[in-house]
Amino acid sequence: MSDTKPPSPVKRLWGGRFTDETDALVQAFNASVAVDQALAFDDIEGSIAHATMLKETGILAVEEAEAIINGLTTIREEIARGAFTWRTELEDVHMNIEQALIERIGPVGGKLHTARSRNDQVATDFRLWLRRESQELSALLTRLRKVLVAVAEQHLMVIMPGYTHLQVAQPVLFAHHLLAYYEMFSRDQERLQDSIKRLNVSPLGAGALAGVTFPIDRHRTSALLGFDRPADNSLDAVSDRDFALEFLSITSIAMLHLSRLSEELILWSSQEFGFITLPDAYTTGSSIMPQKKNPDVCELVRGKTGRVYGQLLALLTVMKGLPLTYHKDLQEDKEGVMDAALTLKISLQLYADLLPKITVHAERTYQAAGRAYSNATDLADYLTKKGLPFREAHEAVGKLVAVAIKEGKELQELELATLRQVSPLFDRYVYEALSLEQVVNARNSYGGTAPAQVRQQLQRAKEALAL
Ligand code: ARG
């Protein structure tokens, strides 16, 4: 008696050929249920579609399929109520649910897995899950785009410095700057929508890898689950994770955009810039310095961008050496995708809430825009419009900038006589071209910063958003 092992608490669903128990540490290492229980509703939806098809094709008897579907519906309710116990020894979401089904409806529950493998099952579940997440993210991107349009409109005439190399370059409208982010998030949303075309293909019925020996109807399960079509090649169907990689690329790029926005808000709210004040509710204090107000939310979004990139690189690396078809390595596909989806979701929500609450200090941005000879290009353009080749005009104005620096003056403070020393083409009207308002108004080319152009950009954005 002393050398007999205690009976295993649950029968392993694949245990037929094994004599010994799985090592405890291996069991824990192998299990994915802590992560993939997030797929529970998708798993049940997939199983109900599969059972429905098995019934319709006569592979299962009507009563059998109905018992299975009822059992699955009960389990779904238990999970929704939080009354379902997930067991690590049952490895993953699929076997937890299948075992629960057998426990509730008896051996007929064991017929659900006819003509199916966990390999096509998990790929199906993951696609269903990701389709829903992509749609949620897309809705959040719409919300953020609307917020950007609203905040841009609210501050339509605010002038700020535009930068290149983080050096003051030319003045721009604050609204123009925000609408640049609108463009980025529009592209993110477009990428997401486009990726759904490739995501929305059904692996179900591919079996373990080679197809199945039963007369299944893959078009039917595909349609029941709202997929556009069944995947064409069973080997590809179970081993393809392009959809997850594409999702991680898209979330990485969207986080990149949020990170650049974060960086700007952090700079703008610093004492040196003083362009904006962040809302109290989105900042924190210091445990030692009583005066501090730190832009933690922006910093965290910037910081978490690194994590999302990491998830992309992790999955690319998991995939790169895998021969066809399924390998347990593929179980590593979900955690990073789920983390990236959640991180982007929260970040988008935070920014949609935060942006309308920033205070813009228009006098300060105006002052900053007028510094550092930001109207020098306009002075050169003035000469160019009088017929001087631009390259010569650039040279002439460069000299004037040097004079202005030496005299501690702005370009518009230089005497006409001084200007005429470098070019006789200057006349007294030149000063009109140099005011900040005129510098901005003059950039009336398509997509430019002139208020007329920015109004049109806003108009186009509103039409795209059906506002
Ligand atoms: N938990 C597994 C995963 O996420 C499900 C598929 C298991 N398939 C297998 N042949 N062991 O990948």
PDB file of all heavy atoms in Angstrom, residues 32 36 91-92 94 118-119 122 241 326 328 330-331 333-334, ligand 1:
ATOM      1  N   SER A  32      -1.852  27.362 -18.812  1.00  0.00           N
ATOM      2  CA  SER A  32      -2.034  28.723 -19.319  1.00  0.00           C
ATOM      3  C   SER A  32      -3.353  29.319 -18.852  1.00  0.00           C
ATOM      4  O   SER A  32      -3.718  30.415 -19.251  1.00  0.00           O
ATOM      5  CB  SER A  32      -1.993  28.707 -20.845  1.00  0.00           C
ATOM      6  OG  SER A  32      -2.971  27.813 -21.347  1.00  0.00           O
ATOM      7  N   ASP A  36      -5.404  32.439 -20.219  1.00  0.00           N
ATOM      8  CA  ASP A  36      -6.373  32.236 -21.308  1.00  0.00           C
ATOM      9  C   ASP A  36      -7.818  32.097 -20.830  1.00  0.00           C
ATOM     10  O   ASP A  36      -8.734  32.010 -21.647  1.00  0.00           O
ATOM     11  CB  ASP A  36      -5.944  31.107 -22.258  1.00  0.00           C
ATOM     12  CG  ASP A  36      -5.813  29.741 -21.600  1.00  0.00           C
ATOM     13  OD1 ASP A  36      -6.494  29.517 -20.584  1.00  0.00           O
ATOM     14  OD2 ASP A  36      -5.045  28.916 -22.130  1.00  0.00           O
ATOM     15  N   GLU A  91      -4.966  22.627 -17.020  1.00  0.00           N
ATOM     16  CA  GLU A  91      -4.086  23.277 -17.995  1.00  0.00           C
ATOM     17  C   GLU A  91      -4.597  24.575 -18.594  1.00  0.00           C
ATOM     18  O   GLU A  91      -4.007  25.624 -18.400  1.00  0.00           O
ATOM     19  CB  GLU A  91      -3.757  22.285 -19.130  1.00  0.00           C
ATOM     20  CG  GLU A  91      -2.529  22.638 -19.920  1.00  0.00           C
ATOM     21  CD  GLU A  91      -2.196  21.569 -20.972  1.00  0.00           C
ATOM     22  OE1 GLU A  91      -2.266  20.351 -20.665  1.00  0.00           O
ATOM     23  OE2 GLU A  91      -1.864  21.960 -22.101  1.00  0.00           O
ATOM     24  N   ASP A  92      -5.646  24.513 -19.398  1.00  0.00           N
ATOM     25  CA  ASP A  92      -6.036  25.735 -20.104  1.00  0.00           C
ATOM     26  C   ASP A  92      -7.548  25.910 -20.107  1.00  0.00           C
ATOM     27  O   ASP A  92      -8.298  25.078 -19.585  1.00  0.00           O
ATOM     28  CB  ASP A  92      -5.451  25.759 -21.522  1.00  0.00           C
ATOM     29  CG  ASP A  92      -5.863  24.571 -22.387  1.00  0.00           C
ATOM     30  OD1 ASP A  92      -6.898  23.945 -22.083  1.00  0.00           O
ATOM     31  OD2 ASP A  92      -5.139  24.281 -23.363  1.00  0.00           O
ATOM     32  N   HIS A  94      -9.627  25.706 -22.449  1.00  0.00           N
ATOM     33  CA  HIS A  94     -10.390  24.749 -23.255  1.00  0.00           C
ATOM     34  C   HIS A  94     -10.723  23.497 -22.454  1.00  0.00           C
ATOM     35  O   HIS A  94     -11.849  23.014 -22.453  1.00  0.00           O
ATOM     36  CB  HIS A  94      -9.599  24.360 -24.519  1.00  0.00           C
ATOM     37  CG  HIS A  94      -8.849  25.507 -25.102  1.00  0.00           C
ATOM     38  ND1 HIS A  94      -9.494  26.569 -25.684  1.00  0.00           N
ATOM     39  CD2 HIS A  94      -7.516  25.791 -25.161  1.00  0.00           C
ATOM     40  CE1 HIS A  94      -8.578  27.448 -26.083  1.00  0.00           C
ATOM     41  NE2 HIS A  94      -7.379  27.003 -25.768  1.00  0.00           N
ATOM     42  N   ARG A 118      -7.523  21.267 -30.053  1.00  0.00           N
ATOM     43  CA  ARG A 118      -7.295  22.541 -29.361  1.00  0.00           C
ATOM     44  C   ARG A 118      -6.516  23.506 -30.252  1.00  0.00           C
ATOM     45  O   ARG A 118      -6.540  24.702 -30.032  1.00  0.00           O
ATOM     46  CB  ARG A 118      -6.523  22.300 -28.060  1.00  0.00           C
ATOM     47  CG  ARG A 118      -7.415  21.975 -26.891  1.00  0.00           C
ATOM     48  CD  ARG A 118      -6.610  21.929 -25.624  1.00  0.00           C
ATOM     49  NE  ARG A 118      -5.615  20.874 -25.662  1.00  0.00           N
ATOM     50  CZ  ARG A 118      -4.496  20.862 -24.933  1.00  0.00           C
ATOM     51  NH1 ARG A 118      -4.230  21.856 -24.110  1.00  0.00           N
ATOM     52  NH2 ARG A 118      -3.649  19.864 -25.017  1.00  0.00           N
ATOM     53  N   ASN A 119      -5.838  22.964 -31.263  1.00  0.00           N
ATOM     54  CA  ASN A 119      -5.033  23.843 -32.116  1.00  0.00           C
ATOM     55  C   ASN A 119      -5.900  24.779 -32.958  1.00  0.00           C
ATOM     56  O   ASN A 119      -5.610  25.974 -33.072  1.00  0.00           O
ATOM     57  CB  ASN A 119      -4.112  23.013 -33.010  1.00  0.00           C
ATOM     58  CG  ASN A 119      -3.121  22.206 -32.189  1.00  0.00           C
ATOM     59  OD1 ASN A 119      -3.015  22.413 -30.983  1.00  0.00           O
ATOM     60  ND2 ASN A 119      -2.392  21.302 -32.830  1.00  0.00           N
ATOM     61  N   VAL A 122      -8.019  27.085 -30.226  1.00  0.00           N
ATOM     62  CA  VAL A 122      -7.393  28.253 -29.591  1.00  0.00           C
ATOM     63  C   VAL A 122      -7.196  29.377 -30.609  1.00  0.00           C
ATOM     64  O   VAL A 122      -7.374  30.552 -30.297  1.00  0.00           O
ATOM     65  CB  VAL A 122      -6.069  27.883 -28.870  1.00  0.00           C
ATOM     66  CG1 VAL A 122      -4.957  27.533 -29.843  1.00  0.00           C
ATOM     67  CG2 VAL A 122      -5.625  29.013 -27.956  1.00  0.00           C
ATOM     68  N   ARG A 241       0.076  33.297 -36.725  1.00  0.00           N
ATOM     69  CA  ARG A 241      -0.197  34.300 -35.698  1.00  0.00           C
ATOM     70  C   ARG A 241       0.078  35.704 -36.247  1.00  0.00           C
ATOM     71  O   ARG A 241       0.301  36.641 -35.492  1.00  0.00           O
ATOM     72  CB  ARG A 241       0.645  34.061 -34.443  1.00  0.00           C
ATOM     73  CG  ARG A 241       0.304  32.779 -33.683  1.00  0.00           C
ATOM     74  CD  ARG A 241      -1.096  32.790 -33.076  1.00  0.00           C
ATOM     75  NE  ARG A 241      -1.374  31.582 -32.309  1.00  0.00           N
ATOM     76  CZ  ARG A 241      -1.870  30.444 -32.818  1.00  0.00           C
ATOM     77  NH1 ARG A 241      -2.153  30.360 -34.105  1.00  0.00           N
ATOM     78  NH2 ARG A 241      -2.096  29.399 -32.033  1.00  0.00           N
ATOM     79  N   TYR A 326       1.661  23.551 -35.213  1.00  0.00           N
ATOM     80  CA  TYR A 326       1.522  23.983 -33.820  1.00  0.00           C
ATOM     81  C   TYR A 326       2.697  23.520 -32.963  1.00  0.00           C
ATOM     82  O   TYR A 326       3.177  22.393 -33.089  1.00  0.00           O
ATOM     83  CB  TYR A 326       0.212  23.449 -33.198  1.00  0.00           C
ATOM     84  CG  TYR A 326       0.060  23.922 -31.767  1.00  0.00           C
ATOM     85  CD1 TYR A 326      -0.518  25.154 -31.490  1.00  0.00           C
ATOM     86  CD2 TYR A 326       0.563  23.171 -30.699  1.00  0.00           C
ATOM     87  CE1 TYR A 326      -0.615  25.628 -30.188  1.00  0.00           C
ATOM     88  CE2 TYR A 326       0.472  23.633 -29.393  1.00  0.00           C
ATOM     89  CZ  TYR A 326      -0.124  24.869 -29.144  1.00  0.00           C
ATOM     90  OH  TYR A 326      -0.202  25.343 -27.857  1.00  0.00           O
ATOM     91  N   LYS A 328       4.026  24.261 -28.642  1.00  0.00           N
ATOM     92  CA  LYS A 328       3.574  24.878 -27.397  1.00  0.00           C
ATOM     93  C   LYS A 328       4.106  26.310 -27.251  1.00  0.00           C
ATOM     94  O   LYS A 328       3.547  27.113 -26.508  1.00  0.00           O
ATOM     95  CB  LYS A 328       3.994  24.010 -26.207  1.00  0.00           C
ATOM     96  CG  LYS A 328       3.274  24.345 -24.913  1.00  0.00           C
ATOM     97  CD  LYS A 328       1.797  23.932 -24.898  1.00  0.00           C
ATOM     98  CE  LYS A 328       1.231  24.089 -23.505  1.00  0.00           C
ATOM     99  NZ  LYS A 328       0.098  23.197 -23.253  1.00  0.00           N
ATOM    100  N   LEU A 330       3.580  28.537 -29.087  1.00  0.00           N
ATOM    101  CA  LEU A 330       2.485  29.422 -29.504  1.00  0.00           C
ATOM    102  C   LEU A 330       1.591  29.835 -28.335  1.00  0.00           C
ATOM    103  O   LEU A 330       0.879  30.831 -28.423  1.00  0.00           O
ATOM    104  CB  LEU A 330       1.647  28.757 -30.601  1.00  0.00           C
ATOM    105  CG  LEU A 330       2.344  28.631 -31.969  1.00  0.00           C
ATOM    106  CD1 LEU A 330       1.480  27.835 -32.923  1.00  0.00           C
ATOM    107  CD2 LEU A 330       2.633  30.013 -32.546  1.00  0.00           C
ATOM    108  N   GLN A 331       1.636  29.058 -27.268  1.00  0.00           N
ATOM    109  CA  GLN A 331       0.851  29.439 -26.090  1.00  0.00           C
ATOM    110  C   GLN A 331       1.331  30.781 -25.522  1.00  0.00           C
ATOM    111  O   GLN A 331       0.603  31.440 -24.785  1.00  0.00           O
ATOM    112  CB  GLN A 331       0.957  28.339 -25.029  1.00  0.00           C
ATOM    113  CG  GLN A 331       0.139  28.586 -23.782  1.00  0.00           C
ATOM    114  CD  GLN A 331       0.043  27.338 -22.920  1.00  0.00           C
ATOM    115  OE1 GLN A 331      -0.743  26.448 -23.204  1.00  0.00           O
ATOM    116  NE2 GLN A 331       0.853  27.269 -21.885  1.00  0.00           N
ATOM    117  N   ASP A 333       1.590  33.398 -27.077  1.00  0.00           N
ATOM    118  CA  ASP A 333       1.096  34.488 -27.924  1.00  0.00           C
ATOM    119  C   ASP A 333       0.112  35.425 -27.223  1.00  0.00           C
ATOM    120  O   ASP A 333      -0.023  36.578 -27.612  1.00  0.00           O
ATOM    121  CB  ASP A 333       0.426  33.908 -29.197  1.00  0.00           C
ATOM    122  CG  ASP A 333      -0.758  32.982 -28.877  1.00  0.00           C
ATOM    123  OD1 ASP A 333      -1.029  32.722 -27.689  1.00  0.00           O
ATOM    124  OD2 ASP A 333      -1.404  32.513 -29.831  1.00  0.00           O
ATOM    125  N   LYS A 334      -0.570  34.945 -26.176  1.00  0.00           N
ATOM    126  CA  LYS A 334      -1.711  35.696 -25.675  1.00  0.00           C
ATOM    127  C   LYS A 334      -1.388  36.785 -24.652  1.00  0.00           C
ATOM    128  O   LYS A 334      -1.952  37.872 -24.698  1.00  0.00           O
ATOM    129  CB  LYS A 334      -2.748  34.726 -25.097  1.00  0.00           C
ATOM    130  CG  LYS A 334      -3.468  33.953 -26.197  1.00  0.00           C
ATOM    131  CD  LYS A 334      -4.391  32.896 -25.677  1.00  0.00           C
ATOM    132  CE  LYS A 334      -3.786  31.549 -25.448  1.00  0.00           C
ATOM    133  NZ  LYS A 334      -2.864  31.005 -26.449  1.00  0.00           N
TER     134      LYS A 334
HETATM  135  N1  ARG B   1      -3.247  26.298 -24.317  1.00  0.00           N
HETATM  136  C1  ARG B   1      -2.830  26.017 -25.667  1.00  0.00           C
HETATM  137  C2  ARG B   1      -2.364  27.312 -26.343  1.00  0.00           C
HETATM  138  O1  ARG B   1      -2.712  28.349 -25.875  1.00  0.00           O
HETATM  139  C3  ARG B   1      -3.967  25.436 -26.445  1.00  0.00           C
HETATM  140  C4  ARG B   1      -3.537  24.568 -27.575  1.00  0.00           C
HETATM  141  C5  ARG B   1      -2.893  23.349 -27.061  1.00  0.00           C
HETATM  142  N2  ARG B   1      -2.552  22.444 -28.111  1.00  0.00           N
HETATM  143  C6  ARG B   1      -1.673  21.443 -27.948  1.00  0.00           C
HETATM  144  N3  ARG B   1      -1.436  20.711 -28.982  1.00  0.00           N
HETATM  145  N4  ARG B   1      -1.052  21.235 -26.816  1.00  0.00           N
HETATM  146  O2  ARG B   1      -1.651  27.261 -27.300  1.00  0.00           O
END
